[in-house]
């Protein structure tokens, strides 16, 4: 016998009333996205849950892929058998052999298919006593706090037997809350911030500023790799590379070093604002946390934020670095983030950046930067790509 199904339950979705149907469709699409590396596996929506048919594929990698998908409350490995008592008994026994450490169990039969002739009470009894006989002395029944609850779910299409529930990623399906334009650097923080937003249903579209030849091709590949890592939590992600060399060198030449960082960030946000509006995106996000560095003080945020009246979401605002690092390790982005390739923000890194930059001073220095022209040129030079997933994601060689 072999595990042949995974039953997926969704939680918060249920709270969403009339959006439920839409959310279920999104969740199913996102599940199908992460299951693309398993061509034989199929996912279907039935009776308020999603049934994943393994079709002879090993359950472990499939379950691991599902564990990442936002919107899944929990899931269970399942065995499907014919609607016959003997098959149910053998199936329940098989499921219990998957839990060699269990000392107690119970059977919880549910008979959604009322034409099946044995009622759930009798099924509990008949299956329970069969299992007890097979495990003589090793297993006992405990109806209140069993180590394993064997659920026998009788449906018209067959009986699904599960033993154990695994926690899903919870949250909302990616895409259910609309789209956010996310500023993705190659660092530790911004991928974590993106993941948090995805968990609240946001579809993230990535914007990365790069400054060749100061930042190299490997830095670019790193950003693609981080994006690809994030596709495993939901769906394909659009990534835009904005050429920033000209703007940066110009700022470096024309602006006092204490305001370079501020003006550079204001240019980034100006460009992000325009791209978001062009693409009908309602919010911008980044990986800033309060007070970490000169560009992330309240005064700095205030001065930089002047460039947009779209909401700027900062999921990491109140998180300390240690927690962010632990989070990045957990979601699998940390190892890529710490690869030592330059980010454009560090290439002319001034040591005297203002921690309290002013809006009026910034506007004054921007008079020397040809803001309009530079923004237009940068936007015209954008390269965009769709990053679909670990199995199909392109490398730079294939792209440019
Ligand atoms: N080259 C870039 N392209 C796009 N966004 C960027 C870039 N550099 C920085 N950002 C955005 O600005 C935020 C703050 O960047 P900064 O380098 O000051 O801080 P950080 O704490 O090192 O962030 P991270 O770890 O995400 O790089 C980043 O989280 C990211 O959202």
């Amino acid at each position: 016998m072999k595990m042949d199904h995974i039953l997926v339950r969704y939680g918060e979705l249920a709270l969403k009333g009339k959006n439920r149907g839409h959310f279920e469709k999104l969740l199913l699409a996102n599940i199908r996205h992460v299951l693309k590396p398993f061509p034989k596996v199929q996912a279907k929506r039935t009776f308020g849950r999603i049934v994943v048919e393994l079709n002879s594929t090993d359950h472990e990698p499939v379950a691991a892929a599902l564990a990442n998908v936002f919107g899944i409350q929990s899931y269970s490995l399942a065995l499907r058998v014919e609607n016959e008592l003997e098959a149910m008994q053998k199936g329940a026994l098989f499921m219990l052999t998957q839990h060699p450490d269990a000392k107690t169990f119970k059977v919880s039969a549910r008979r959604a298919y009322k034409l099946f002739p044995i009622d759930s009470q009798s099924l509990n009894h008949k299956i329970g006593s069969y299992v007890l006989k097979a495990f003589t002395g090793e297993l006992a029944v405990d109806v209140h706090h069993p180590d394993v609850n064997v659920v026998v779910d009788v449906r018209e299409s067959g009986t699904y037997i599960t033993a154990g529930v695994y926690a899903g990623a919870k949250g909302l399906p990616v895409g259910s809350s609309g789209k956010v334009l996310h500023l993705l650097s190659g660092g530790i923080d911004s991928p974590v911030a993106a993941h948090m937003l995805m968990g609240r249903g946001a579809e993230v579209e990535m914007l990365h500023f790069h400054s060749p030849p100061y930042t190299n091709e490997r830095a670019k590949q790193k950003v693609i790799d981080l994006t690809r890592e994030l596709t495993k939590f939901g769906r394909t992600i659009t990534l835009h590379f904005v050429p920033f060399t000209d703007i940066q060198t110009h700022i470096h030449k024309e602006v006092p070093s204490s305001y370079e960082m501020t003006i550079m960030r204001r240019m980034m946000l100006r460009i992000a604002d325009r791209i978001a509006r062009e693409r009908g995106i309602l919010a911008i996000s980044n990986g800033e946390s309060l007070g970490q560095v000169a560009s992330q003080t309240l005064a700095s945020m205030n001065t930089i934020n002047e460039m947009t009246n779209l909401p700027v979401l900062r999921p990491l605002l109140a998180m300390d670095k240690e927690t962010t690092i632990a989070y990045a390790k957990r979601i699998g982005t940390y190892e890529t983030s710490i690869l030592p390739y330059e980010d454009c923000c560090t290439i002319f890194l001034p040591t005297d950046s203002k921690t309290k930059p002013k809006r009026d001073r910034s506007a004054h220095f921007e008079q020397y930067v040809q803001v309009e022209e530079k923004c237009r040129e940068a936007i015209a030079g954008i390269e965009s790509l769709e990053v679909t997933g670990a199995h199909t994601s392109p490398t730079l060689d294939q792209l440019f």
Side-chain angles (χ1 to χ4, degrees), residues 252-265:
H252 190 54
K253 211 161 83 199
E254 304 293 342
V255 172
S257 62
S258 60
Y259 264 80
E260 253 185 75
M261 178 65 87
T262 307
I263 305 299
M264 192 176 80
R265 297 292 172 148

Side-chain angles (χ1 to χ4, degrees), residues 8 26-39 41 43 52 61-70 72 174 198 228-236 388-391:
V8 173
L26 265 179
L27 180 59
L28 185 60
N30 293 351
I31 285 176
R32 286 180 175 154
H33 170 82
V34 302
L35 294 182
K36 273 188 196 149
F38 311 101
V41 176
V52 176
V62 178
L66 288 173
N68 289 325
V69 178
F70 286 117
I72 295 181
V174 173
M198 291 165 88
R228 181 175 56 201
E229 203 58 48
L230 290 165
T231 61
K232 72 180 188 224
F233 302 104
R235 51 163 69 193
T236 297
T388 53
H391 46 296

Side-chain angles (χ1 to χ4, degrees), residues 66-88:
L66 288 173
N68 289 325
V69 178
F70 286 117
I72 295 181
Q73 181 72 9
S74 68
Y75 61 92
S76 295
L77 304 174
L79 182 70
R80 185 186 161 283
V81 298
E82 294 304 316
N83 287 341
E84 288 162 6
L85 178 61
E86 198 186 329
M88 294 175 193

Side-chain angles (χ1 to χ4, degrees), residues 183-185 188-190 207 209 265 286-287 292 296 343 345:
L183 301 188
L184 184 72
S185 69
I188 296 168
D189 298 10
S190 44
L207 198 60
F209 295 86
R265 297 292 172 148
N286 63 33
Q292 262 196 14
Q296 298 177 28
D343 184 70
C345 295

Side-chain angles (χ1 to χ4, degrees), residues 262-274 277 284 301-310 312 359 362-363 366 371 375:
T262 307
I263 305 299
M264 192 176 80
R265 297 292 172 148
R266 279 166 64 105
M267 287 301 271
M268 282 184 174
L269 201 55
R270 234 186 220 111
I271 291 170
D273 177 85
R274 290 181 195 190
R277 284 174 200 284
I284 297 168
M301 286 182 195
N302 178 288
T303 298
I304 295 165
N305 234 108
E306 191 186 10
M307 296 300 104
T308 183
N309 62 11
L310 295 177
V312 178
R359 288 183 171 196
S362 302
E366 278 167 354
V371 168
C375 278

Side-chain angles (χ1 to χ4, degrees), residues 339-373:
L339 293 173
Y341 310 126
E342 293 271 38
D343 184 70
C344 71
C345 295
T346 56
I347 57 177
F348 302 123
L349 191 67
T351 50
D352 59 342
S353 290
K354 279 256 182 254
T355 51
K356 291 183 182 165
K358 304 271 186 308
R359 288 183 171 196
D360 55 352
R361 298 294 291 154
S362 302
H364 169 74
F365 294 130
E366 278 167 354
Q367 287 173 6
Y368 306 100
V369 181
Q370 300 157 6
V371 168
E372 275 311 310
E373 191 189 324

